[in-house]
Amino acid sequence: VGIGLVSKEIDKRTLYSLLPKPITRVQFLLGKYCGLCLTVLVNVLVMTAGLYFLLFLMSEPFEPALLKAIFLIYVKLMVLVGVALLFSTFTSSTLAGVFAGFVYVVGYFSSDLKNFDSVVETGALPQITKVLYYLLPNFKNFDIKAPIVAGDIVPMTQIVWATAYGLLYVSLL
C-alpha cells in the first residue's frame, strides 16, 4: 500500500486537486505516512489479538514479554513504511517496491556490510558497503523475537534505544 501511495495519486491526477488547497506538501506526505502507520497499527493489533487468542486456546499462559517484540515489529514496520513512501515520491510503484524490498533485505545484513572490508580488501566495494551500512536501516536492532521466545529477559533500555533509532530514522526519511 505504501509503495503506490503517492505515485498513484500522481498517476490518477488526484494530487493536483489537493495541492492548491491550503496544505503544504510536507503536510500531505505526513498525512499519508501517519494514515498508513495507523492502518499498519490496526493490522498489528488484530494479529496480536489473534496470537494471544491462539495461545489461550492452546492453554499457554499469558506472556507479556511478547508485547515487547510486537512493539519493535511495529516500529520496524514504521521505518519500512517511511522507506516505501520515500521511494513512492519519485519513482514508479514497481521501482518503489523493488527499492523498498532491497532496503528490507539489506537491512538485515547491515552488520555484514560493516565488516565487508575484512573480506574484500581491494577496489571500491568496501567503501560502497560502508556507505550503505550507514545509510540503510539496521533491521536487526528491532529483532528480539528469538530472545523473547527463548525466555531471555530483554532489557527495557534495548527497547527504548531501538525505538529511538527507528523514530530518528523515520524523521530523517
Side-chain angles (χ1 to χ4, degrees):
V1 173
I3 293 167
L5 206 56
V6 175
S7 61
K8 285 183 183 176
E9 292 269 354
I10 294 170
D11 292 342
K12 292 181 181 179
R13 298 179 189 235
T14 55
L15 180 67
Y16 300 121
S17 63
L18 291 174
L19 289 180
K21 305 283 189 239
I23 62 166
T24 64
R25 289 182 170 103
V26 172
Q27 290 171 330
F28 172 76
L29 289 174
L30 281 176
K32 290 287 186 182
Y33 175 76
C34 291
L36 190 54
C37 283
L38 284 174
T39 303
V40 170
L41 177 64
V42 169
N43 286 325
V44 168
L45 290 175
V46 168
M47 288 188 282
T48 301
L51 171 67
Y52 277 109
F53 180 70
L54 285 174
L55 290 174
F56 172 76
L57 290 178
M58 295 171 44
S59 300
E60 294 290 326
F62 179 77
E63 184 59 53
L66 284 174
L67 294 174
K68 291 179 182 179
I70 292 168
F71 174 74
L72 285 185
I73 288 171
Y74 178 68
V75 174
K76 175 177 61 175
L77 289 172
M78 286 174 54
V79 172
L80 198 55
V81 165
V83 168
L85 187 62
L86 172 74
F87 289 130
S88 170
T89 58
F90 63 86
T91 63
S92 68
S93 296
T94 306
L95 280 176
V98 169
F99 293 154
F102 170 77
V103 169
Y104 182 74
V105 170
V106 173
Y108 274 103
F109 297 107
S110 63
S111 59
D112 296 332
L113 289 175
K114 184 178 183 183
N115 301 324
F116 198 72
D117 59 348
S118 64
V119 177
V120 177
E121 297 175 3
T122 60
L125 195 57
Q127 287 79 20
I128 292 171
T129 57
K130 186 93 55 186
V131 168
L132 285 176
Y133 170 76
Y134 288 110
L135 283 179
L136 299 176
N138 185 353
F139 286 125
K140 284 189 178 181
N141 288 340
F142 308 110
D143 194 12
I144 60 167
K145 294 181 298 282
I148 294 284
V149 171
D152 297 341
I153 296 174
V154 176
M156 202 59 177
T157 55
Q158 184 177 353
I159 307 293
V160 169
W161 281 113
T163 303
Y165 173 78
L167 293 177
L168 176 69
Y169 206 90
V170 164
S171 65
L172 290 174
L173 287 172

